[in-house]
């Protein structure tokens, strides 16, 4: 029998069953927010108290946190504990992340903790990410901003408790099934990426002909190479570019990321690296140059540039000394997992990035250019380099297309999951 619906009076909720009501969060749930002790006092962060940050909210139930507080750290902020079974909700930066406390813990100031009836919290787990954000303001960039008052006054649909329990149980089952399907697709993407790396590594160290005679390599980072190849130190194949952007020759800023290589800074969707307004502080990179982040090459920040522009002074920019080098071939080779292990061994202690006013944002291992230039690499004949590059580009295209299909399937599953939740928590779908 079809249930009767009424207009909720809230545009983003729409119709709800006649016997449901609309309420403000503050009328149904108790909640509190956490705090962050002064970061310069290390003793505040050397204890055993779990302290949740937004990055920890990546599963349904949270039982461990990346950071911990001491008794002193908890006391200095007069923190209230988030008890086991309570629901955590992020309301800053990554707004809408939720997780249940699997054990007692504390949280930072970007997380709201809802405390109350277990059944009501299980229902809130599904409605909080959808409806609270509609009460948010926006910053100048269009990102949602929430505070305690805005959360308290967020409007939500409220069915009888028995129906809340039924909806939560239904969604636990259905969303669990969807999440398993998503996990399978994500694992396939992971496997495809691993396959990509294996294909690249095999091609640039052993070539394409499986019947080629192999000889022992004199490089300490891979065992053998075809007998007609030889090895050279990087310094014998490449020149370090030292062109400064002073006087200013270009205002085209280039960005280097682990997953995308060299891209135009204007196309970035994140703000992980920040360019200064003074373009004269940067160095130049030309099309076909290979760019390496001296502090992040150990994790894959290496890429061949297709652009002319300026890059960070902490990057190394190299170009070929002669005509027997295919830069695409070495773009692949200099970013293989096995050579990244070499970079890691060459990492020299702590390198601090000054951001001004005495602030230091990041400390990483830095690979010295001289040490980098001493690494021996394989040198196939140029014709073979070209053939390997053609093969790898074709394989990468095939892999990218497969990954694209998987990503589209994941997105479809996520959209279906979201639609299923919305229909259930607004009463538009009948829960058996």
């Amino acid at each position: 029998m079809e249930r009767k619906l009424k207009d909720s009076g809230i545009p983003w909720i729409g119709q709800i069953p006649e016997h449901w009501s609309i309420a403000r969060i503050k009328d149904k749930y108790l909640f509190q927010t956490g705090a962050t002790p002064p970061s310069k006092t290390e003793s505040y962060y050397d204890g055993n108290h779990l302290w949740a940050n937004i990055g920890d909210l990546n599963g349904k139930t949270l039982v461990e946190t990346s950071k911990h507080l001491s008794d002193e750290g908890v006391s200095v902020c007069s923190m209230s504990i988030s008890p086991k079974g309570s629901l955590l909700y992020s309301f800053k930066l990554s707004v809408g992340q939720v997780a249940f406390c699997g054990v007692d813990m504390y949280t930072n100031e970007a997380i709201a903790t809802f405390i109350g009836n277990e059944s009501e919290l299980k229902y809130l787990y599904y409605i909080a990410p959808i409806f609270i954000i509609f009460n948010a303001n926006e910053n100048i960039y269009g990102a949602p901003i929430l505070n305690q008052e805005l959360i308290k006054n967020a409007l939500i649909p409220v069915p009888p408790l028995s129906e809340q329990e039924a909806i939560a149980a239904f969604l636990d089952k259905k969303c669990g099934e969807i999440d398993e399907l998503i996990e399978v697709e994500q694992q396939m993407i992971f496997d495809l990426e691993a396959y990509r790396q294996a294909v690249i590594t095999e091609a640039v160290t052993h070539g394409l002909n499986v019947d080629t005679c192999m000889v022992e390599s004199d490089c300490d980072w891979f065992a053998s190479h075809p007998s007609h190849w030889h090895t050279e130190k990087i310094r014998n194949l490449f020149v370090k570019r030292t062109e400064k952007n002073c006087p200013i020759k270009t205002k085209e800023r280039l960005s280097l990321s682990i997953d995308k290589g060299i891209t135009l800074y204007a196309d970035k969707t994140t703000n992980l690296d920040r360019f200064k307004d003074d373009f004269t502080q940067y160095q130049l990179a030309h099309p076909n140059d290979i760019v390496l982040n001296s502090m992040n090459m150990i994790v894959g920040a290496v890429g061949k540039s297709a652009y002319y522009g300026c890059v960070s002074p902490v990057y190394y920019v190299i170009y070929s000394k002669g005509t027997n080098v295919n830069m695409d071939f070495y773009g692949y080779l200099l970013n293989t997992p096995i050579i990244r292990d070499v970079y890691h061994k060459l990492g020299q202690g702590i390198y601090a990035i000054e951001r001004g006013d005495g602030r230091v944002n990041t400390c990483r291992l830095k690979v010295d250019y001289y040490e980098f230039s001493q690494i021996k690499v394989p040198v196939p004949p140029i014709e073979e380099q070209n053939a390997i590059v053609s093969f790898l580009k074709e394989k990468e295209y095939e892999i990218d297309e497969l990954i694209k299909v998987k990503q589209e399937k994941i997105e479809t599953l996520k959209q279906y999951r979201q639609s299923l939740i919305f229909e259930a928590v607004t009463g538009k779908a009948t829960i058996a």
Side-chain angles (χ1 to χ4, degrees):
M1 178 172 148
E2 188 176 346
R3 54 173 37 178
K4 293 183 179 180
L5 301 176
K6 65 181 180 182
D7 184 5
S8 68
I10 312 300
W12 55 85
I13 295 178
Q15 292 187 316
I16 59 173
E18 278 188 332
H19 62 291
W20 288 25
S21 62
I22 296 294
R24 298 186 186 280
I25 285 284
K26 66 182 179 182
D27 297 325
K28 302 299 296 183
Y29 301 96
L30 295 175
F31 81 93
Q32 63 192 33
T33 57
T36 298
S39 59
K40 292 184 178 180
T41 306
E42 294 183 6
S43 62
Y44 293 161
Y45 296 87
D46 63 1
N48 298 316
H49 297 292
L50 300 183
W51 182 60
N53 287 255
I54 292 176
D56 296 315
L57 308 186
N58 52 17
K60 188 169 183 178
T61 302
L62 181 61
V63 295
E64 182 56 88
T65 60
S66 57
K67 297 180 180 179
H68 300 77
L69 299 179
S70 63
D71 291 341
E72 188 182 10
V74 170
S75 176
V76 75
C77 293
S78 301
M79 289 190 196
S80 296
I81 201 161
S82 297
K84 177 181 178 180
S86 56
L87 181 67
L88 306 180
Y89 173 86
S90 65
F91 65 95
K92 294 181 181 179
L93 300 176
S94 299
V95 175
Q97 299 290 104
V98 288
F100 288 105
C101 291
V103 293
D104 292 350
M105 64 184 64
Y106 297 93
T107 77
N108 71 5
E109 72 284 355
I111 296 176
T113 301
F114 292 93
I115 302 169
N117 177 281
E118 180 182 357
S119 296
E120 290 179 328
L121 290 179
K122 286 183 176 180
Y123 175 68
L124 183 64
Y125 173 83
Y126 289 106
I127 63 173
I130 298 176
F131 297 117
I132 292 179
I133 198 169
F134 282 108
N135 214 43
N137 294 324
E138 290 186 351
N139 64 18
I140 60 174
Y141 303 105
I145 298 176
L146 285 166
N147 56 35
Q148 292 191 48
E149 283 304 310
L150 291 173
I151 294 172
K152 287 178 182 178
N153 289 296
L155 296 167
I156 56 171
V158 183
L161 183 58
S162 61
E163 288 189 57
Q164 292 184 39
E165 292 173 341
I167 290 170
F170 169 80
L171 290 176
D172 282 348
K173 181 177 183 298
K174 292 296 184 181
C175 291
E177 293 170 354
I178 295 170
D179 289 343
E180 286 182 5
L181 292 174
I182 290 174
E183 188 175 337
V184 168
E185 298 300 321
Q186 289 173 332
Q187 181 61 48
M188 289 182 180
I189 291 176
F190 178 84
D191 291 343
L192 284 167
E193 291 291 2
Y195 172 64
R196 182 205 305 271
Q197 289 293 336
V199 168
I200 291 172
T201 300
E202 178 66 18
V204 298
T205 57
H206 292 148
L208 303 178
N209 187 350
V210 295
D211 296 323
T212 297
C213 176
M214 295 287 173
V215 296
E216 185 176 347
S217 170
D218 61 350
C219 302
D220 59 3
W221 55 277
F222 69 100
S224 62
H225 60 73
S227 59
H228 63 286
W229 291 16
H230 70 282
T231 61
E232 290 280 0
K233 289 184 177 180
I234 286 174
R235 71 178 187 183
N236 295 330
L237 297 175
F238 302 99
V239 178
K240 182 183 180 185
R241 195 177 293 282
T242 57
E243 292 178 77
K244 303 299 182 184
N245 196 29
C246 182
I248 295 174
K249 302 177 183 67
T250 178
K251 290 190 176 181
E252 186 68 81
R253 300 179 296 179
L254 306 181
S255 179
L256 175 58
S257 64
I258 294 170
D259 55 339
K260 295 181 179 179
I262 291 288
T263 56
L264 298 176
Y265 185 79
D267 294 340
K268 282 179 67 69
T269 56
T270 61
N271 192 32
L272 293 179
D273 57 335
R274 299 177 178 87
F275 270 88
K276 298 183 185 295
D277 293 332
D278 184 1
F279 285 87
T280 63
Q281 295 186 39
Y282 297 96
Q283 59 180 322
L284 297 178
H286 292 247
N288 217 34
D289 286 350
I290 292 175
V291 182
L292 310 96
N293 184 332
S294 64
M295 296 177 295
N296 264 349
M297 52 200 286
I298 62 176
V299 291
V302 177
K304 198 199 77 156
S305 180
Y307 312 99
Y308 174 69
C310 56
V311 298
S312 167
V314 302
Y315 293 172
Y316 299 142
V317 181
I318 60 176
Y319 62 94
S320 169
K321 274 188 173 184
T323 58
N324 64 332
V325 169
N326 183 311
M327 294 298 283
D328 281 308
F329 176 85
Y330 286 96
Y332 283 121
L333 185 140
L334 294 176
N335 200 20
T336 55
I338 55 176
I339 203 171
R340 290 203 294 266
D341 290 340
V342 180
Y343 302 155
H344 193 274
K345 293 174 183 176
L346 297 177
Q348 296 182 347
I350 298 298
Y351 186 90
I353 301 177
E354 295 290 343
R355 295 299 189 190
D357 300 325
R359 293 178 295 132
V360 178
N361 274 22
T362 310
C363 294
R364 303 174 184 140
L365 290 174
K366 181 183 179 182
V367 177
D368 178 75
Y369 184 80
Y370 175 79
E371 297 292 340
F372 165 72
S373 72
Q374 300 301 305
I375 299 173
K376 279 190 173 183
V377 295
V379 184
I382 187 61
E383 297 80 13
E384 199 166 346
Q385 292 181 41
N386 296 339
I388 290 170
V389 167
S390 296
F391 167 79
L392 289 177
K393 286 188 174 181
E394 183 177 339
K395 292 298 291 186
E396 283 212 288
Y397 176 79
E398 293 172 2
I399 293 169
D400 286 340
E401 287 299 299
L402 290 172
I403 289 175
K404 182 179 178 182
V405 170
K406 300 299 178 187
Q407 290 172 332
E408 288 173 349
K409 188 170 182 180
I410 288 172
E411 187 57 33
T412 298
L413 286 167
K414 287 181 176 179
Q415 290 176 1
Y416 172 61
R417 185 183 192 277
Q418 194 72 358
S419 175
L420 184 71
I421 293 171
F422 182 82
E423 293 293 305
V425 300
T426 57
K428 297 176 180 62
T430 302
I431 306 302

